[in-house]
Amino acid sequence: MIVEIVTTGSELLLGQIVNTNAAYMSSRLNDLGFDVLYQTTVGDNHDRMKAVLEHALSRADIVITSGGLGPTQGDITKEVSAEIFGRKMKVHEESKRRMEEKFIQRHVTWTENNMRQVILPEGAEVFLNYNGIASGVVLENNGKYLINLPGPPSEMKDMFERSLKPFLKRKFGFKHVIVSKVLNTMGLGESLLETKIKDLILAQSNPTLALLIRPAGVIIRITAKADTREQAEILIEEMEAKIRERVGKYIYSIDDEKMEQVVAKLLKDNCLKVACAESCTGGMLSQRLTSIPGSSAYLDGSVVTYSNDIKMKFLCVDENLLKSKGAVCAEVAGQMAEGIMQLMEANLGIGITGIAGPTGGSKEKPVGLVYIAVAGKYGTKVTENYFSGERDQIRYRATQQALSMLRHYIMEHDKL
Amino acid sequence: MIVEIVTTGSELLLGQIVNTNAAYMSSRLNDLGFDVLYQTTVGDNHDRMKAVLEHALSRADIVITSGGLGPTQGDITKEVSAEIFGRKMKVHEESKRRMEEKFIQRHVTWTENNMRQVILPEGAEVFLNYNGIASGVVLENNGKYLINLPGPPSEMKDMFERSLKPFLKRKFGFKHVIVSKVLNTMGLGESLLETKIKDLILAQSNPTLALLIRPAGVIIRITAKADTREQAEILIEEMEAKIRERVGKYIYSIDDEKMEQVVAKLLKDNCLKVACAESCTGGMLSQRLTSIPGSSAYLDGSVVTYSNDIKMKFLCVDENLLKSKGAVCAEVAGQMAEGIMQLMEANLGIGITGIAGPTGGSKEKPVGLVYIAVAGKYGTKVTENYFSGERDQIRYRATQQALSMLRHYIMEHDKL
């Protein structure tokens, strides 16, 4: 069954609010095995809304709207929908009774325009609103469904789960389910990653593969369609195994798990303490490491060392080195990592020094050049990185790379 | 001119990401006086995308897409657009040259599929990408415009402001303008703020007033419509003056200016250096202070002091105090602020200690309790704060309050 989601409301067209309803409904409908092929947003204008809904009904089997069920003159979705299906509007007694009860409960003063919320298309299946007043409706006409849900997310979501989902199950059963799994990768660019699994992407049918760029790296999304979740998961496992054969070492987590969570777990499991000496990232790495509850288990302290004096004073970075090569070089990063490890008496130390921009770059040392070092019992590892983007993107990518290096350092060495 | 925004990408139809691009473009286009009447989302499917774009061109004068300009097989927006306008695709030399430069600069391995990003429709006006590689294009055919922008928000926004806006101005001028101004407030709750300016909100017509809650505080948005920007700005000025009479001291910045930018400017203008000692915020405050270019002018260094040992060792926090009252109390915050000020030889010191949660709270010291101190020549000021929300919200609110206290400390004292 093809579904189109039509969200209504001028605030969406004015860009005053972000359309979270479309994302929520799409995500849930896909989980239930429906294909959402279109999302359309139109304002509270009779002619345009009517044209949009009629066009939607011409290319989809099920059209689900959100918004425009309220008491004001601008709320016209129900009326337009009824018009398209040639239905009269009449008071829905149960909705009316429940509304009146609510007004009494809440000691809210009654205004006549509230009646608009309980005047519904004749012969419609009604979804009562347990989070508000405006009822939802389902209109059906030779196999096409037009479903009106309220706009406020809390009301829409409650009605979706409580009434729409059971309705869809009753009408269509759920022939199949769609399950997705995301593999988060770090260390390979999008195009390089694609070349390594291109044949899998081109040969894809079920499961399907998609590569998406995220600030934290490139993600591989595997999406499988099957009769049961179990079968879908088996399909995903088979594909995941093939992908891991090619690029396994670059996959650091699954689905929503962040790099800092992965690293935090590694540190805890190995009873390790880490300390950071941050120059261009200015505390962002420590902030990410401490964003995990219980981070005091693996981090006692860190320093932000912006000036050379502080680098020398706290981290014992060699003054002559700073004079000869400048603060942004591999050796300084290494000394920062070793210095902070000793200063905080930690098992591992991280040093970051670079040019976050937008100014301060040169031909030899361009904006985005960042040296990152990880120091530990097995020596100090330094990388030279060229990150693109704006100041904060460069800073974020530097912390992501630092966490990735920390992860590899811990995984590759025993008994740190 | 009627505009339709067409966002492409399966991840939108799967509900895996929220469509912030549509909101951003709509908001900006409305500011420029264009009527965005439709927003449509379609997947990376040739036939459906072509049908959607053709339908969009039939009801709108300007169709702006985002997404599908990348290097992978799924990126087809340019090709479909060219097909609709009957244009051949050919290598765009300047885009190619810039891409090759970037690859050399960043030492990234080249793969052939990157070429897809610089093969553009013949005769198209090209928007170069200053935040990435894929160029944007404008196709025109008897008065209808089809404009392709990249999908990643940072690239889309940069191209919108840098290239699309000037293009639209050149082509259409801007008839009436809608100008908005945002007053960022901190220190008053939404309802309290509303009561202080309620009469202004109720009496509003042009300009209009809106109160919106943001993580950084409550914002007041003033929106005026006029023939010229100058006239709109006069309307806004009059309203702003009335608002400032009531709540001026709570307004810390205008529009997109962040609290850290305000504080950075104050520090620079007064030639002051600040140093932070962060416990529960774990580096977030230093990270925000150093997110401003040139932050080395006012910050030499900071420390993250999670453990009590580190608090004693670096900040000379009194051991008996830590034993008797614990790390989360006003006195410890004060000693942390004074300690870091001396350690870093700064003019101002900030100390933050609290319980970010989700665990570690008690009846006397609940999750969200954070003590924040600012130390300087004129003594140490400490506040006791109870922040709501999740761990990272609590941490963020603590840094926002710390910056606000720093701002007031600097403004209220001369010659620090």
Side-chain angles (χ1 to χ4, degrees):
Chain A
M1 304 294 289
I2 294 176
V3 179
E4 174 158 351
I5 289 166
V6 177
T7 44
T8 69
S10 310
E11 65 276 24
L12 289 167
L13 293 178
L14 290 169
Q16 287 167 344
I17 59 171
V18 174
N19 193 346
T20 56
N21 280 3
Y24 180 87
M25 290 193 274
S26 300
S27 166
R28 296 291 293 119
L29 287 161
N30 275 281
D31 293 345
L32 300 176
F34 292 88
D35 293 320
V36 178
L37 296 188
Y38 309 93
Q39 299 167 345
T40 307
T41 301
V42 65
D44 306 313
N45 168 285
H46 174 279
D47 297 355
R48 284 193 292 270
M49 188 187 290
K50 190 178 177 193
V52 161
L53 290 177
E54 284 172 339
H55 188 62
L57 286 162
S58 73
R59 61 185 176 185
D61 308 299
I62 305 170
V63 176
I64 305 175
T65 71
S66 80
L69 306 188
T72 75
Q73 294 305 316
D75 296 303
I76 59 172
T77 309
K78 264 179 322 196
E79 289 72 7
V80 173
S81 301
E83 189 183 330
I84 291 171
F85 280 69
R87 307 283 182 93
K88 289 201 177 55
M89 301 292 286
K90 65 184 285 248
V91 173
H92 184 257
E93 290 306 331
E94 185 177 4
S95 299
K96 179 163 180 284
R97 189 177 46 69
R98 295 177 79 256
M99 173 174 73
E100 286 162 348
E101 282 170 13
K102 284 206 182 113
F103 271 90
I104 292 157
Q105 273 171 19
R106 300 187 201 159
H107 308 274
V108 187
T109 29
W110 165 272
T111 54
E112 189 53 34
N113 55 2
N114 281 298
M115 277 304 290
R116 301 189 78 245
Q117 299 179 88
V118 297
I119 297 175
L120 310 180
E122 273 183 332
E125 171 149 355
V126 175
F127 294 158
L128 295 175
N129 189 332
Y130 291 84
N131 255 344
I133 288 172
S135 297
V137 297
V138 179
L139 293 167
E140 194 245 327
N141 191 18
N142 43 43
K144 298 269 186 175
Y145 293 84
L146 178 52
I147 301 168
N148 300 143
L149 300 183
S154 62
E155 299 180 27
M156 181 279 293
K157 289 177 185 176
D158 183 76
M159 194 177 288
F160 187 105
E161 303 302 333
R162 190 191 297 264
S163 305
L164 179 57
K165 188 180 160 190
F167 171 83
L168 293 172
K169 192 174 184 78
R170 204 170 69 239
K171 283 284 179 187
F172 310 103
F174 298 137
K175 278 158 241 57
H176 54 266
V177 292
I178 291 184
V179 181
S180 281
K181 186 171 190 177
V182 170
L183 311 180
N184 299 299
T185 78
M186 170 85 192
L188 274 181
E190 185 193 25
S191 25
L192 200 57
L193 188 58
E194 192 192 30
T195 51
K196 286 185 181 290
I197 60 172
K198 188 162 195 162
D199 55 321
L200 298 177
I201 295 174
L202 292 176
Q204 67 179 294
S205 59
N206 184 30
T208 60
L209 282 185
L211 294 187
L212 302 166
I213 301 173
R214 294 283 183 268
V218 182
I219 69 169
I220 305 170
R221 192 182 61 231
I222 313 171
T223 307
K225 189 185 261 194
D227 295 343
T228 68
R229 169 166 281 275
E230 292 62 35
Q231 291 166 4
E233 279 165 354
I234 290 166
L235 290 171
I236 288 173
E237 264 172 43
E238 293 166 358
M239 178 60 79
E240 181 179 354
K242 286 184 197 153
I243 295 168
R244 284 189 181 273
E245 269 175 32
R246 318 271 187 94
V247 295
K249 62 176 289 205
Y250 301 101
I251 299 167
Y252 65 85
S253 80
I254 297 300
D255 293 334
D256 296 332
E257 191 179 25
K258 297 199 180 96
M259 182 72 85
E260 51 265 46
Q261 293 171 287
V262 175
V263 171
K265 192 171 180 317
L266 272 173
L267 289 164
K268 277 186 197 165
D269 293 351
N270 294 279
C271 304
L272 297 171
K273 297 229 174 192
V274 65
C276 315
E278 303 187 60
S279 189
C280 63
T281 49
M284 190 186 281
L285 178 58
S286 305
Q287 183 258 113
R288 288 183 68 183
L289 279 165
T290 57
S291 66
I292 317 292
S295 48
S296 51
Y298 53 83
L299 189 141
D300 288 333
S302 287
V303 296
V304 175
T305 58
Y306 241 52
S307 73
N308 285 352
D309 290 352
I310 303 292
K311 288 187 181 76
M312 292 184 281
K313 180 176 171 188
F314 292 98
L315 307 174
C316 312
V317 174
D318 175 9
E319 181 165 13
N320 299 324
L321 174 63
L322 287 167
K323 284 195 180 127
S324 59
K325 291 197 141 191
V328 179
C329 65
E331 295 84 343
V332 167
Q335 291 187 6
M336 288 171 69
E338 290 153 12
I340 193 66
M341 178 170 65
Q342 280 146 24
L343 185 72
M344 296 292 174
E345 293 164 15
N347 310 92
L348 296 155
I350 297 180
I352 303 178
T353 179
I355 299 155
T359 58
S362 67
K363 198 162 185 330
E364 304 69 38
K365 296 182 177 182
V367 168
L369 171 64
V370 183
Y371 292 93
I372 303 174
V374 177
K377 197 164 129 187
Y378 295 91
T380 303
K381 187 173 188 318
V382 188
T383 60
E384 177 184 70
N385 308 273
Y386 295 86
F387 299 114
S388 61
E390 300 181 336
R391 182 178 176 86
D392 255 6
Q393 294 169 306
I394 289 168
R395 281 154 48 99
Y396 179 82
R397 290 180 173 133
T399 61
Q400 186 72 359
Q401 167 69 352
L403 290 169
S404 179
M405 288 171 65
L406 188 55
R407 171 174 170 263
H408 285 292
Y409 196 102
I410 298 170
M411 290 193 308
E412 286 155 20
H413 300 104
D414 293 345
K415 311 192 197 53
L416 279 158
Chain B
M1 304 296 289
I2 294 175
V3 179
E4 173 158 352
I5 289 166
V6 178
T7 43
T8 68
S10 310
E11 64 273 28
L12 290 166
L13 292 178
L14 290 167
Q16 282 162 343
I17 58 171
V18 174
N19 194 345
T20 55
N21 280 4
Y24 180 87
M25 291 193 273
S26 301
S27 166
R28 297 291 293 118
L29 287 162
N30 276 281
D31 293 347
L32 302 175
F34 291 89
D35 293 319
V36 178
L37 296 189
Y38 309 93
Q39 298 167 345
T40 307
T41 301
V42 64
D44 305 314
N45 168 287
H46 174 278
D47 297 355
R48 286 193 290 271
M49 187 187 288
K50 190 179 178 193
V52 161
L53 289 177
E54 284 172 339
H55 188 63
L57 286 161
S58 73
R59 62 185 174 185
D61 308 296
I62 305 170
V63 176
I64 305 175
T65 71
S66 80
L69 307 188
T72 74
Q73 298 302 321
D75 296 303
I76 59 171
T77 309
K78 266 179 322 196
E79 289 72 9
V80 173
S81 301
E83 190 183 329
I84 291 171
F85 280 70
R87 307 284 181 91
K88 290 200 179 53
M89 300 292 285
K90 64 186 279 254
V91 172
H92 184 256
E93 290 306 331
E94 187 176 3
S95 299
K96 179 162 178 285
R97 190 177 45 68
R98 296 175 80 256
M99 174 173 73
E100 285 161 348
E101 280 170 14
K102 281 195 185 133
F103 271 88
I104 292 158
Q105 238 179 47
R106 295 185 206 159
H107 306 255
V108 186
T109 6
W110 163 274
T111 55
E112 190 52 34
N113 51 3
N114 281 297
M115 279 303 290
R116 286 177 57 88
Q117 298 180 89
V118 296
I119 297 174
L120 309 180
E122 273 184 332
E125 170 150 354
V126 174
F127 295 158
L128 296 175
N129 189 332
Y130 291 84
N131 247 339
I133 288 173
S135 299
V137 297
V138 180
L139 293 167
E140 197 247 330
N141 190 18
N142 38 43
K144 297 272 187 171
Y145 293 85
L146 178 52
I147 300 167
N148 300 144
L149 299 183
S154 62
E155 299 180 25
M156 180 279 293
K157 290 177 184 175
D158 182 75
M159 194 177 288
F160 188 106
E161 302 303 333
R162 191 191 296 265
S163 306
L164 179 56
K165 188 180 159 191
F167 171 84
L168 294 172
K169 188 170 185 82
R170 204 168 71 237
K171 285 282 178 187
F172 310 105
F174 301 133
K175 281 156 240 44
H176 68 266
V177 292
I178 296 177
V179 181
S180 282
K181 187 171 190 176
V182 170
L183 310 179
N184 299 299
T185 78
M186 168 93 190
L188 269 183
E190 185 194 24
S191 43
L192 200 55
L193 189 58
E194 187 183 31
T195 52
K196 286 183 181 290
I197 61 172
K198 188 156 198 159
D199 54 322
L200 299 177
I201 295 175
L202 292 176
Q204 67 181 294
S205 60
N206 182 29
T208 59
L209 280 186
L211 291 188
L212 302 164
I213 301 173
R214 294 284 183 267
V218 183
I219 68 168
I220 306 170
R221 192 177 59 224
I222 313 171
T223 307
K225 188 175 197 172
D227 295 341
T228 67
R229 169 165 279 277
E230 292 62 34
Q231 292 168 3
E233 279 166 353
I234 290 167
L235 291 170
I236 289 173
E237 264 172 42
E238 293 166 359
M239 178 60 78
E240 181 179 354
K242 288 183 195 152
I243 295 168
R244 284 190 181 275
E245 268 175 33
R246 319 272 186 92
V247 294
K249 64 177 286 204
Y250 300 101
I251 299 168
Y252 66 85
S253 81
I254 297 301
D255 293 334
D256 297 332
E257 192 179 26
K258 298 199 180 102
M259 181 73 86
E260 51 265 47
Q261 293 171 289
V262 174
V263 171
K265 192 171 181 316
L266 273 172
L267 290 164
K268 278 186 195 165
D269 293 351
N270 295 279
C271 304
L272 296 171
K273 297 228 174 193
V274 66
C276 315
E278 304 186 61
S279 188
C280 63
T281 49
M284 190 186 282
L285 178 58
S286 305
Q287 182 260 110
R288 288 184 66 183
L289 279 166
T290 57
S291 66
I292 317 296
S295 48
S296 51
Y298 54 83
L299 189 140
D300 288 333
S302 287
V303 295
V304 175
T305 57
Y306 241 51
S307 72
N308 285 350
D309 290 352
I310 303 291
K311 289 187 181 76
M312 293 186 282
K313 179 176 170 188
F314 291 100
L315 307 175
C316 312
V317 174
D318 175 10
E319 181 165 11
N320 299 323
L321 174 63
L322 287 166
K323 283 195 181 124
S324 59
K325 291 198 143 192
V328 178
C329 66
E331 295 84 344
V332 167
Q335 291 188 6
M336 286 170 70
E338 290 152 13
I340 193 66
M341 178 169 64
Q342 282 145 23
L343 185 73
M344 297 289 174
E345 295 164 13
N347 310 92
L348 296 154
I350 297 181
I352 304 179
T353 178
I355 298 155
T359 58
S362 66
K363 201 168 181 319
E364 306 68 39
K365 296 183 177 181
V367 168
L369 171 63
V370 182
Y371 292 93
I372 303 173
V374 177
K377 198 164 129 188
Y378 294 91
T380 303
K381 187 171 189 314
V382 187
T383 61
E384 178 183 70
N385 308 274
Y386 293 87
F387 300 113
S388 60
E390 305 194 325
R391 182 177 176 86
D392 256 5
Q393 293 170 305
I394 289 167
R395 281 154 47 100
Y396 179 82
R397 290 182 172 131
T399 60
Q400 185 73 357
Q401 167 70 350
L403 290 169
S404 180
M405 288 171 65
L406 188 56
R407 170 174 171 262
H408 285 292
Y409 195 103
I410 297 170
M411 290 192 308
E412 285 156 20
H413 300 106
D414 295 345
K415 308 193 196 54
L416 278 158

